[in-house]
Amino acid sequence: MAVDYTVIAVYLAGMLAMGWWGMRRARSKSEFLVAGRRLGPVMYSGTMAAIVLGGASTIGGVGLGYQYGLSGAWMVFTIGLGLLALSVFFSARIARLKVYTVSEMLDLRYGGRAGVISGVVMWAYTLMLAVTSTIAYATIFDVLFDMNRTVAIILGGSIVVAYSTLGGMWSITLTDMVQFVVKTIGVLLLLLPIAVVKAGGFGEMKAKLPTGYFDPLGIGGETIFTYVLIYTFGMLIGQDIWQRVFTARGDRTAKWGGTVAGTYCLVYALAGAVIGTAAKVLYPNLASADAAFATIVKDELPVGVRGLVLAAALAAVMSTSSGALIACATVANNDIWSRLRGVVSADGGPDGEERDEVRGNRLFILVMGVAVIVTAIALNNVVEALTVAYNLLVGGLLVPILGGLLWKRGTVHGALASVVVGGVAVIGLMAGYGILANEPVYYGLLASLAAYLAVSLATPATDPAVLAAWRERLAGRTPETAGTSPVPVSQ
């Protein structure tokens, strides 16, 4: 394992070095939070693919393939569909808004007063997303070093917190680009063909497994529908995804770069399912489907290649973890703390103020990072935590966000009612049906939609001046203080 350890050590050292390099670039709030809004198509595509394809997509995707066969690709497939829909239909408009958070978009569209409530929901989602990604370090480091769970979480989490705190989005962008390359080589070009060959090829796989393993819908229609609701729609509204859209250099980069990334996700989904199916042939009696990835890597890959593929797994986890961490810190600082203090941050202020904002955001990343590590150590059930996060996100925020983009009659009162009713309904239904049940997100989303429509139609239409300012921002004609609401933000 010495060669494998060396590969991993070099990879982790490289992540820290890029964090240090990113610190030299991140001298303003815009550079620190959204990489100066100037990523080109190649870097934008690579980093967008990296953040959406995390540990759940890699380790979990292989596990679903082990359990269900080719239809296990549906979870990651719906993530790719969501990214394609976001890129084709919404990303150009989102990029033109020149904001930093989803809640700032809601304030621009509805005229203020939606920020703190929507920010709390988004903060809970990004926190849980970062926590679940951080827990995945325990699985990988256990394979590598037979390491204690707590130590593994602290080690992996500390590296991500370090480079994210140092350079913000610039560091995360650089590391994500490397992680994208490592994942492509490790999973698609190495593990996929090796796994198929070791299993005897597709003919042998079909001969040894039930026909249901090769049924595209074998996982079940209801499960696929739930994946679409949670992951496809979740891709449309998550702060971690939007914050990457904000890094695009322009409309075309956001649209076409995101389309490339979404297509890559579809390929990655199928690859994970095939690897899992091959693992089922090789190891038919594993105690846990989620152990399929680690088992096939540990037992079937040659020295050196094994280290690179495990580095690819680390890359998948780190990219999602760092993206969720900076999103969590951005929301906590800009949408909750600053608004509670009555401060609306602006871009383009004096240099001293810009540096102060960088220091403030850097501090929030550090604090949120420590909170993520502590929560990850205390938490055991990753699936339940992730389900709670996505149920709250989709049930509470999908309707007011898409409604604001698509329906001009939506009002701030309708948006607030939608967030509150949808969020409370989801929480109550999870308590009644169980956290992993499908009903909470189904009925919570319907309750959110009903509240949005009813309250919006029953309350006065949004001020024409607010809508006019909103249309100006959507057209890309932003005021000099980009990132600031054109109307006072009152709570």
Side-chain angles (χ1 to χ4, degrees):
M1 293 288 288
V3 176
D4 296 326
Y5 293 162
T6 301
V7 172
I8 298 296
V10 169
Y11 170 76
L12 294 177
M15 295 300 99
L16 292 175
M18 289 185 182
W20 181 261
W21 188 89
M23 183 176 67
R24 301 170 62 87
R25 297 287 302 269
R27 298 185 180 277
S28 70
K29 179 183 177 181
S30 176
E31 290 173 337
F32 190 82
L33 293 182
V34 290
R37 306 186 194 274
R38 59 176 187 264
L39 295 191
V42 174
M43 290 197 73
Y44 179 84
S45 297
T47 57
M48 181 63 87
I51 187 176
V52 300
L53 296 174
S57 299
T58 303
I59 299 171
V62 171
L64 287 172
Y66 183 88
Q67 189 172 359
Y68 297 104
L70 297 186
S71 67
W74 272 105
M75 183 187 77
V76 183
F77 201 83
T78 55
I79 290 173
L81 292 178
L83 186 52
L84 284 171
L86 174 71
S87 302
V88 173
F89 299 112
F90 300 109
S91 63
R93 282 184 282 177
I94 292 170
R96 286 196 293 264
L97 290 174
K98 303 296 184 186
V99 295
Y100 292 106
T101 67
V102 175
S103 294
E104 286 182 14
M105 167 263 166
L106 291 173
D107 276 343
L108 282 169
R109 166 61 182 82
Y110 294 111
R113 295 181 295 178
V116 170
I117 294 177
S118 61
V120 168
V121 175
M122 190 64 77
W123 174 80
Y125 157 73
T126 53
L127 179 70
M128 285 297 101
L129 186 61
V131 165
T132 54
S133 299
T134 302
I135 291 174
Y137 296 127
T139 301
I140 299 169
F141 282 113
D142 179 58
V143 175
L144 281 171
F145 310 116
D146 193 23
M147 186 178 290
N148 174 270
R149 177 182 183 274
T150 299
V151 175
I153 289 172
I154 292 174
L155 175 60
S158 296
I159 293 171
V160 170
V161 172
Y163 73 69
S164 301
T165 301
L166 285 172
M169 187 60 82
W170 268 123
S171 294
I172 293 171
T173 295
L174 294 171
T175 54
D176 276 1
M177 197 63 199
V178 173
Q179 289 158 358
F180 169 74
V181 172
V182 171
K183 278 192 290 191
T184 300
I185 295 173
V187 175
L188 296 185
L189 302 184
L190 292 176
L191 182 58
L192 174 61
I194 290 173
V196 173
V197 170
K198 291 283 187 178
F202 286 104
E204 189 70 14
M205 290 163 62
K206 286 185 176 181
K208 290 187 175 180
L209 294 174
T211 56
Y213 267 73
F214 301 92
D215 179 359
L217 304 178
I219 199 170
E222 185 178 356
T223 298
I224 295 171
F225 180 67
T226 302
Y227 284 160
V228 170
L229 278 184
I230 293 177
Y231 297 115
T232 301
F233 287 126
M235 287 295 106
L236 298 179
I237 58 174
Q239 170 67 26
D240 51 324
I241 309 302
W242 277 42
Q243 199 155 342
R244 293 309 172 96
V245 176
F246 299 151
T247 67
R249 187 165 60 199
D251 295 1
R252 290 179 62 83
T253 297
K255 182 175 182 178
W256 297 112
T259 301
V260 171
T263 304
Y264 178 90
C265 291
L266 304 183
V267 175
Y268 200 88
L270 184 59
V274 171
I275 293 168
T277 305
K280 184 66 175 180
V281 173
L282 295 168
Y283 311 100
N285 299 311
L286 290 179
S288 169
D290 285 339
F293 179 89
T295 303
I296 196 169
V297 169
K298 187 174 183 180
D299 293 348
E300 301 298 336
L301 298 187
V303 172
V305 173
R306 179 172 49 204
L308 183 60
V309 173
L310 287 171
L314 270 177
V317 174
M318 285 184 164
S319 56
T320 299
S321 181
S322 59
L325 176 58
I326 194 171
C328 179
T330 302
V331 170
N333 188 14
N334 287 261
D335 293 340
I336 301 176
W337 176 245
S338 294
R339 292 167 189 270
L340 289 176
R341 292 190 302 136
V343 176
V344 179
S345 59
D347 205 13
D351 288 344
E353 293 180 14
E354 283 288 289
R355 285 193 295 270
D356 286 343
E357 290 203 61
V358 171
R359 284 195 292 268
N361 282 291
R362 185 172 281 138
L363 177 61
F364 265 86
I365 290 179
L366 180 60
V367 171
M368 290 297 105
V370 172
V372 165
I373 292 172
V374 171
T375 306
I377 292 171
L379 202 62
N380 288 318
N381 197 315
V382 180
V383 177
E384 289 191 358
L386 193 62
T387 301
V388 170
Y390 271 100
N391 282 354
L392 281 173
L393 176 70
V394 174
L397 292 180
L398 178 67
V399 170
I401 292 172
L402 293 189
L405 290 169
L406 300 174
W407 189 44
K408 67 179 181 180
R409 184 61 181 83
T411 69
V412 65
H413 300 96
L416 289 171
S418 179
V419 174
V420 173
V421 170
V424 170
V426 163
I427 293 171
L429 290 165
M430 283 192 294
Y433 284 98
I435 290 176
L436 299 180
N438 294 327
E439 288 82 0
V441 71
Y442 294 169
Y443 300 141
L445 192 55
L446 288 174
S448 178
L449 177 61
Y452 182 72
L453 293 175
V455 176
S456 290
L457 292 173
T459 53
T462 304
D463 188 333
V466 172
L467 288 178
W470 166 252
R471 287 192 292 269
E472 288 290 298
R473 294 295 284 266
L474 281 179
R477 295 184 288 271
T478 61
E480 290 184 358
T481 53
T484 306
S485 174
V487 294
V489 177
S490 58
Q491 305 301 335

